[in-house]
Amino acid sequence: QVQLVESGGGLVQPGGSLRLSCAASGILFRVYVMGWYRQAPGKQRELVATIARDGRTNYADSVNGRFTISRDNGLSTVYLQMNSLKPEDTAVYYCKGDYGGVTSWGQGTQVTVSS
């Protein structure tokens, strides 16, 4: 019933930009804390950014100043605008939603930063 679907990943050159989207269904989106996580090859999944129900945001130090998380509660969608991309940003990016002690995950979208 709960579904999070990511889109917007792909191959981009270093210094380029991508915007990821995560469309939610089956939840009252506006009450959820939403976030983006990523998992690079051979590494643990790590937090990228979160956005609270009131729009307050937090970022990992590695992306702060380059990435922007936002949400559109009317469209039940959370976005991750990624600028000045670096090869070390290469990972599968996952959308996460949290409410009432329950976590939902999307299936992920691949982001590859390479020349």
Side-chain angles (χ1 to χ4, degrees), residues 10 16-17 21 27 49 53 58 60-62 65 68 73 78 81 85 97 114:
S17 298
S21 299
I27 63 171
R53 51 201 288 179
N58 287 285
D61 288 343
S62 59
T68 302
N73 289 337
V78 62
Q81 178 66 46
L85 282 161
S114 176

Side-chain angles (χ1 to χ4, degrees), residues 26-80:
I27 63 171
L28 187 59
F29 181 81
R30 69 174 185 84
V31 308
Y32 272 70
V33 177
M34 302 299 298
W36 289 96
Y37 290 69
R38 67 187 182 186
Q39 188 165 21
K43 297 187 66 178
Q44 188 71 288
R45 189 173 298 185
E46 65 179 0
L47 171 69
V48 176
T50 62
I51 184 165
R53 51 201 288 179
D54 64 356
R56 191 166 60 255
T57 59
N58 287 285
Y59 297 92
D61 288 343
S62 59
V63 307
N64 196 20
R66 299 187 297 121
F67 291 10
T68 302
I69 188 171
S70 61
R71 65 192 296 161
D72 188 328
N73 289 337
L75 296 178
S76 296
T77 301
V78 62
Y79 306 94
L80 185 68

Side-chain angles (χ1 to χ4, degrees), residues 3 26 41 72 107:
Q3 188 175 30
D72 188 328
Q107 294 185 4

